Amino acid sequence: MMRIKDINHVVYRHRDLDAVERFLTDFGLVVAHWTDERLYMRGTGPAPYVYVAERADTPSFGAIAFALESAEDLLAAQFLPGASEIAPLAAPGGGNCVVLTDPAGRRVELVHGIEPVETLPMRPALTLNTADMKRRFGDVQRAPRAPAQVLRLGHVALGVTDLPRCLRWYTEVLGLLPSDFVVEEQASPPVAAFLRLDRGEAWTDHHTVALFQAPEDHVHHASFEVQDLDAQFHGHAWMASRGWAPMWGVGRHILGSQIFDYWRDPSGNIVEHFTDGDLYKRDSPLGYTPASDDSLYQWGPPMTVERFLGGAC
Ligand SMILES: [Fe+2]
């Protein structure tokens, strides 16, 4: 089966690319490339871009792109249901792409052969002293007041009108594995599903795609990994000081355990900083969790599932 190596980038369409560039820079991404119509932003990792902003009269979501393991996987991808032929990517780093459409009508790109770039310097993770394990001797703790440096894109969360159909597509066509189902009652179909990559014996994020039942098909958020808890809080203070709109955070989720912090971009989309998420592998067990506000977070500002997923924060 075709194997996905990682989520690669997201594409959003915005009216004002200058405003988006200011927002994403404060969010911790770095400008990689500008054209008249597109802004490419990168993290500190080797991907030449993780976020593409396209100029458009009407803001909308453009695409989710996943990187494939091999050129053979790309050849196989063009035989998936509804797949395009292989086409070159006109973007930094080149590469090739097969385009699919998920059951919600969303553009899903499978990419391969994008040239990696030099990584950027990143503040090392802080050495933490816990009550029963001291690791820092004679050194002080001084994380900088600055944007939370983004390392990489980690996951997307999608509201879908037909969860069973989307779940089948993401697991059977893309080969993702379920990590957790949220259910209303025991043995009832899930109302939310957290899906990870199949990386065999290698550890991978608890979820790369999250799906939840919703009245409309939409992208709820895209999530980017930052270094540690101090990056989260310094990043939060930085974003607030620059006047951006907080959505929810800082807190810690239950399913996936990430420390989260959600923000709204100038077009109203939600983007998330995350750190310290759970790692699973192919044979990690599938979990079932009852749907309730208690399934949403361990700690953080008060929130309900309805407000969070409805986006009315
Ligand atoms: Fe998330």
Side-chain angles (χ1 to χ4, degrees):
M1 180 155 188
M2 176 198 78
R3 291 190 70 193
I4 291 176
K5 190 172 168 187
D6 204 354
I7 191 167
N8 199 76
H9 64 272
V10 282
V11 182
Y12 284 83
R13 302 190 187 101
H14 300 275
R15 196 174 296 119
D16 185 346
L17 292 193
D18 293 312
V20 170
E21 187 263 337
R22 286 195 298 276
F23 172 85
L24 292 174
T25 300
D26 284 331
F27 187 74
L29 288 164
V30 175
V31 174
H33 189 64
W34 268 104
T35 69
D36 286 345
E37 299 303 317
R38 286 188 184 81
L39 165 65
Y40 295 86
M41 304 289 294
R42 63 170 292 186
T44 60
Y49 53 93
V50 296
Y51 186 112
V52 183
E54 288 184 351
R55 195 185 306 280
D57 291 337
T58 307
S60 63
F61 185 77
I64 311 165
F66 297 94
L68 296 178
E69 186 70 58
S70 68
E72 290 70 37
D73 288 323
L74 190 70
L75 286 171
Q78 61 186 333
F79 299 105
L80 292 171
S84 73
E85 293 182 354
I86 296 173
L89 281 163
N96 291 291
C97 169
V98 163
V99 180
L100 305 177
T101 307
D102 81 1
R106 190 174 295 109
R107 182 182 170 96
V108 174
E109 299 177 356
L110 301 175
V111 302
H112 179 70
I114 298 174
E115 276 297 315
V117 290
E118 284 280 315
T119 57
L120 299 176
M122 189 165 188
R123 168 176 71 71
L126 295 183
T127 305
L128 302 180
N129 286 335
T130 62
D132 67 353
M133 191 176 293
K134 307 302 182 194
R135 300 182 183 85
R136 191 178 73 256
F137 302 98
D139 281 341
V140 298
Q141 203 68 293
R142 299 286 186 273
R145 287 173 188 273
Q149 287 182 291
V150 166
L151 173 66
R152 59 183 276 267
L153 172 64
H155 65 264
V156 289
L158 312 175
V160 296
T161 53
D162 190 341
L163 180 55
R165 191 158 163 240
C166 280
L167 182 54
R168 270 200 308 280
W169 193 84
Y170 277 92
T171 53
E172 293 175 11
V173 177
L174 292 196
L176 304 186
L177 303 172
S179 297
D180 271 298
F181 285 154
V182 179
V183 292
E184 298 278 8
E185 292 167 27
Q186 229 174 1
S188 64
V191 293
F194 291 81
L195 310 176
R196 68 181 180 279
L197 303 177
D198 180 356
R199 303 294 300 150
E201 283 305 296
W203 295 101
T204 187
D205 288 348
H206 169 271
H207 58 274
T208 298
V209 174
L211 304 172
F212 64 91
Q213 187 68 43
E216 284 181 6
D217 288 298
H218 67 289
V219 173
H220 184 263
H221 67 265
S223 187
F224 298 83
E225 187 168 20
V226 301
Q227 183 66 288
D228 53 23
L229 181 63
D230 283 70
Q232 289 278 38
F233 278 99
H234 273 306
H236 187 99
W238 184 269
M239 293 288 280
S241 75
R242 306 281 282 183
W244 300 115
M247 191 263 190
W248 186 33
V250 176
R252 191 187 278 277
H253 279 303
I254 292 182
L255 302 175
S257 304
Q258 300 99 329
I259 296 172
F260 60 80
D261 191 21
Y262 294 91
W263 293 85
R264 281 201 189 273
D265 74 16
S267 300
N269 304 298
I270 302 168
V271 289
E272 178 190 14
H273 283 147
F274 81 92
T275 193
D276 194 25
D278 296 333
L279 297 175
Y280 278 36
K281 57 183 179 177
R282 180 183 288 160
D283 59 2
S284 296
L286 169 61
Y288 290 84
T289 299
S292 80
D293 293 342
D294 291 339
S295 70
L296 199 54
Y297 65 117
Q298 305 180 38
W299 54 262
M303 180 57 70
T304 64
V305 172
E306 195 179 0
R307 273 180 65 215
F308 177 58
L309 296 184
C313 302

